[in-house]
Amino acid sequence: MRKKIVAGNWKMNLNKLDAVELFKSLESSVYPPDVEVIIAPPSIYLDSFSNASNLKIASQDVSQNSNGAYTGEFSSEMLFSINLRFAIVGHSERRVFHNESDEMIFNKVKSLLNNGLTPIFCCGESLDDRNNGIQFDVVNSQLSNILNNLSSSDLEKLIIAYEPVWAIGTGLTAEPSDAQAMHSYIRNTIANKFTTKTSEQISILYGGSCKPANSKELFSMKDIDGGLIGGASLDSNSFLAIVNSF
Ligand code: PEP
């Protein structure tokens, strides 16, 4: 049975007081025992939340380098040393605003795996890609480094998040059937390269304007194992409602 996961990406939101308030409310909530709940606060707060027991804490990013003269960055080893075990990589906002290439993102994945962390690997097409009918090719190419260069045992440690860029923060959500088609495509691509057993083990999350009004339908799809939630993760009631949508 694949893990059901809901991960909240707070992005660059909330001052410390508001972040602590939201963290406390989520940390003291009761969750379904079969759902893993992850939050990714801004990196400046990670160390103060890393003692959470009811929640898993993720970084929103990590350096591809292991140490040295990289001002402003932090490494996988540093994240591990403050008890973090998850990090988001390849979010479209990093790809677009920070020019992150597939190669750089793959280096981040490798660095996380080498240091005992689980990468939450994001992929997804732009609106132009979808309008041109090339969404499967785009996602395939974003996946190619991890599929061509990781062993099956490493790949099985990944969480994949399919996030169509046109749905992130826009209020537009993929139709559940379209999201399911992409999740199934990703799983089949993994099965063809590795085995069905490997592909069946990997949780694939949907992200892109997921909210209580659409999470139930999305999560009922065969290959959608949960969500990566942006805006709706900043409100504890909305986030809890999404966690309870399976
Ligand atoms: C995200 O940034 O990963 C995301 C899915 O954002 P939103 O839910 O706000 O679309």
Side-chain angles (χ1 to χ4, degrees):
M1 257 271 279
R2 286 192 296 275
K3 253 193 219 159
K4 296 173 187 164
I5 300 170
V6 176
N9 175 10
W10 294 3
K11 311 194 187 188
M12 195 175 73
N13 290 296
L14 307 175
N15 65 28
K16 178 82 189 262
L17 277 180
D18 294 337
V20 168
E21 194 181 327
L22 179 55
F23 170 76
K24 281 188 178 156
S25 149
L26 296 175
E27 172 71 347
S28 60
S29 296
V30 177
Y31 299 110
D34 59 340
V35 181
E36 185 152 82
V37 182
I38 305 175
I39 56 165
S43 54
I44 193 169
Y45 308 140
L46 287 174
D47 200 18
S48 25
F49 297 158
S50 62
N51 60 350
S53 54
N54 203 17
L55 299 163
K56 300 282 187 337
I57 309 296
S59 173
Q60 295 175 15
D61 187 35
V62 68
S63 172
Q64 63 174 327
N65 301 298
S66 48
N67 56 39
Y70 301 103
T71 302
E73 299 208 13
F74 52 87
S75 68
S76 301
E77 190 188 350
M78 292 172 189
L79 291 175
F80 189 90
S81 74
I82 60 163
N83 293 322
L84 255 70
R85 297 296 179 264
F86 297 86
I88 298 171
V89 286
H91 191 281
S92 66
E93 287 151 18
R94 301 288 318 172
R95 290 178 189 263
V96 173
F97 303 141
H98 300 270
N99 294 319
E100 290 197 5
S101 64
D102 287 330
E103 190 192 352
M104 198 185 286
I105 294 161
F106 177 68
N107 291 339
K108 293 181 180 203
V109 167
K110 275 301 283 178
S111 155
L112 289 167
L113 290 169
N114 288 343
N115 285 280
L117 284 97
T118 298
I120 303 173
F121 174 86
C122 303
C123 55
E125 81 285 358
S126 69
L127 188 56
D128 275 355
D129 296 334
R130 182 157 282 263
N131 288 340
N132 290 325
I134 56 167
Q135 65 271 26
F136 295 108
D137 299 333
V138 168
V139 169
N140 190 306
S141 126
Q142 290 170 338
L143 289 170
S144 66
N145 273 323
I146 62 166
L147 297 188
N148 291 333
N149 298 303
L150 290 185
S151 64
S152 59
S153 65
D154 270 348
L155 190 69
E156 285 167 14
K157 293 177 188 141
L158 254 65
I159 297 168
I160 295 177
Y162 166 59
E163 301 207 300
V165 180
W166 48 271
I168 296 180
T170 58
L172 300 171
T173 315
E175 286 300 323
S177 55
D178 287 338
Q180 163 59 26
M182 183 61 83
H183 283 232
S184 153
Y185 173 79
I186 293 171
R187 206 176 300 288
N188 285 336
T189 305
I190 296 169
N192 291 338
K193 184 87 194 173
F194 293 88
T195 59
T196 305
K197 186 166 167 276
T198 293
S199 77
E200 285 297 332
Q201 252 164 285
I202 300 175
S203 297
I204 308 178
L205 315 183
Y206 168 79
S209 298
C210 185
K211 44 187 180 269
N214 56 31
S215 50
K216 221 179 182 70
E217 207 184 338
L218 284 161
F219 296 177
S220 70
M221 296 288 137
K222 181 174 162 286
D223 289 291
I224 301 184
D225 305 307
L228 179 53
I229 319 297
S233 73
L234 296 170
D235 176 81
S236 60
N237 289 332
S238 298
F239 190 63
L240 278 172
I242 294 171
V243 172
N244 283 293
S245 294
F246 290 96

